[in-house]
Amino acid sequence: MNGRKQGHPGRHGDQPAAVAWVNLRRLGSVQAAAHAGLEALSIGVQEGEPLSLAPLTGLPRLRTLTACPGTLADPLEIASPTGLEFLGLGPEEWRVLLDAGAVPRSLSAAAIEVHGDRHPLPIVAIANELLALRNRAPVTRTTLEGRLGPVG
């Protein structure tokens, strides 16, 4: 990486890092990561209060944003960065965006970040709502019924 770590302040020539990580080990805030050349931001586990995305408003090159569940103060701030092509969020954050009709229209791909043991059907429902926004076929659900027991 040209002698510098991604996601850390610092420059090589006049170019700050295009990819940044905000978490316990890297940058401590969205504001520290935000600059006009930022293309991808990942928000991971951190201490303290959930983070605001306000510093990302108006960033012209931001195309990718991922945030671990529970790390965002207000998921509706995602509507401010225009031009997002990929967005990865927890189910609760997706629910907020879907209920508000605020899923960015510019998205080409999305991920539902699930941590821990969660029942898959509510996650599939969110995925199907996201797919429906792009007139895509839903995730197929198959229910099997039967009795388990010894054979014979």
Side-chain angles (χ1 to χ4, degrees):
M1 275 289 136
N2 300 328
R4 72 178 194 280
K5 293 182 183 176
Q6 289 183 341
H8 284 277
R11 296 177 183 262
H12 179 74
D14 289 337
Q15 300 297 323
V19 178
W21 292 268
V22 174
N23 58 38
L24 287 172
R25 294 183 169 189
R26 301 278 178 118
L27 298 173
S29 70
V30 173
Q31 186 171 0
H35 61 82
L38 184 64
E39 296 179 23
L41 176 64
S42 179
I43 300 172
V45 177
Q46 75 242 334
E47 294 177 350
E49 296 296 314
L51 302 173
S52 170
L53 297 176
L56 303 179
T57 301
L59 294 183
R61 298 182 58 165
L62 185 64
R63 298 289 179 259
T64 298
L65 175 63
T66 60
C68 284
T71 59
L72 300 181
D74 181 4
L76 292 176
E77 289 179 324
I78 288 169
S80 294
T82 57
L84 284 176
E85 295 172 2
F86 177 81
L87 184 58
L89 300 172
E92 290 76 18
E93 290 81 6
W94 278 116
R95 175 56 43 219
V96 168
L97 292 179
L98 286 162
D99 289 350
V103 174
R105 296 184 188 279
S106 57
L107 292 183
S108 297
I112 303 169
E113 306 283 336
V114 180
H115 294 178
D117 242 358
R118 305 270 310 248
H119 195 281
L121 292 183
I123 307 305
V124 169
I126 291 170
N128 284 339
E129 286 184 61
L130 291 168
L131 289 166
L133 291 175
R134 301 297 181 264
N135 298 316
R136 305 293 300 236
V139 174
T140 303
R141 285 180 38 185
T142 302
T143 303
L144 300 176
E145 292 185 27
R147 227 171 110 131
L148 297 176
V151 177

